Structure formats: C-alpha cells, structure tokens
Amino acid sequence: MTNHKTAVVYVRLKDGVLDPQGVTIHKALTQMGYDDFTSVRTGRFFELEIKADSEDIDRKIDEVCSKLLANPVIETYTVEKR
Amino acid sequence: MTNHKTAVVYVRLKDGVLDPQGVTIHKALTQMGYDDFTSVRTGRFFELEIKADSEDIDRKIDEVCSKLLANPVIETYTVEKR
C-alpha cells in the first residue's frame, strides 16, 4: 500500500454538456476586448488531506467522488495524488 | 513567441483564508463514515482555448486572471499551458 499526503480531485462537465458559466465568462472576456479565446470551460477541484494511516484510500476516494464531489450524470472526475 | 492551444487557470483561496465550502464537505465526509481525511480545500479552474494567432498571450492571461477569473485579495492563481 502506498500512502500519499494529498489527493486532488478535478471535476469537470462531460464533453457536450453545456457550461453556462464558461459561456458567460467567454462573453465577458470578449466584451472586455480579449478576443484571443475561442472557448472557456469551467471546473472545480478539491484538495483532500489524507491521514497517514489510511487504508484502501483509492477505493474511498473513488466513492466520495461519485457520492459527494461530482455528479456522475453530467460530470467526470480525475484524481491526482501528491 | 510560443503558441499553446490551451491554458488552464487554477484559482484557490490564499492560505489562511477560511474555506466554508471545504469545511462543509469535510464534515459531510466524516458524517458519511469517511474519517480518513484531515481537511478539504476547494478551488476552481478554467480551461481557456486560445486562438493560434494570438500574440502576447501570457500577459493577456495574467490580466484576465486578476480582472475576471480570480479575486486577488483572497485568491491566488496558477496558469498551466498545454
């Protein structure tokens, strides 16, 4: 078992799911004169500090992602360990 | 000048700034029986697709971060190019 101190969970909307916040930001950028961008997609991330003596942490992280941190119907997530 | 197709901006609260959303998630995890985590911090990210012929894009990204995407008073941001 390998222990990591931190796991970062990145949650983003699935491809094809409309991102109204991203669309709004893109419009705002264009109105501000920044016309170098073709699209903006938004997401969120969670930095989870893990106890040193945790066991089976990969499975637990996967569970909390699908139960609490992400909505599997419209979102995907990736986990990065540090 | 180097062109990149995508820039990802990660925005997080500065150290020491209270993260109520993270605190709430941490409490929820504990109540759900997941007691392997000592803290949760939240953040958001923005995937910016950049036009191929953009010039001076590093400066522009820095400007839109501090003007629109982040609140420099309480947040920090990092930019990752892909």
Side-chain angles (χ1 to χ4, degrees):
Chain A
M1 188 187 64
T2 310
N3 274 317
H4 299 265
K5 289 175 71 179
T6 306
V8 186
V9 177
Y10 299 91
V11 178
R12 71 196 73 212
L13 289 165
K14 287 181 181 173
D15 290 341
V17 177
L18 184 69
D19 180 358
Q21 190 187 5
V23 171
T24 303
I25 291 169
H26 185 220
K27 282 183 188 166
L29 290 176
T30 306
Q31 286 170 1
M32 290 163 71
Y34 298 100
D35 55 2
D36 299 87
F37 305 101
T38 54
S39 82
V40 179
R41 298 279 287 175
T42 66
R44 45 193 209 288
F45 63 88
F46 306 91
E47 293 174 341
L48 309 172
E49 299 294 325
I50 301 163
K51 288 180 184 170
D53 61 350
S54 292
E55 293 187 12
D56 205 8
I57 193 66
D58 289 353
R59 177 186 60 77
K60 289 174 184 171
I61 290 173
D62 206 51
E63 284 180 10
V64 304
C65 285
S66 56
K67 286 183 185 175
L68 186 71
L69 301 180
N71 176 354
V73 177
I74 57 168
E75 293 173 327
T76 61
Y77 61 85
T78 52
V79 180
E80 179 188 307
K81 299 245 193 69
R82 288 179 190 163
Chain B
M1 186 188 65
T2 309
N3 274 317
H4 298 265
K5 289 175 71 177
T6 306
V8 186
V9 177
Y10 298 91
V11 179
R12 70 194 77 211
L13 290 165
K14 287 181 180 172
D15 290 341
V17 176
L18 184 67
D19 180 356
Q21 191 188 5
V23 172
T24 302
I25 290 169
H26 184 221
K27 281 183 189 166
L29 290 177
T30 306
Q31 286 169 0
M32 290 164 70
Y34 297 101
D35 55 0
D36 300 86
F37 306 101
T38 55
S39 82
V40 179
R41 298 280 287 174
T42 65
R44 43 192 210 286
F45 62 89
F46 306 93
E47 293 174 340
L48 309 172
E49 299 294 323
I50 302 164
K51 288 180 184 171
D53 61 350
S54 292
E55 292 187 13
D56 204 9
I57 192 66
D58 288 353
R59 179 186 59 76
K60 290 173 184 171
I61 290 173
D62 206 50
E63 284 180 10
V64 304
C65 285
S66 55
K67 286 182 184 175
L68 186 70
L69 301 180
N71 176 354
V73 178
I74 57 169
E75 293 173 326
T76 61
Y77 60 86
T78 52
V79 180
E80 178 189 309
K81 300 246 193 68
R82 289 179 190 165

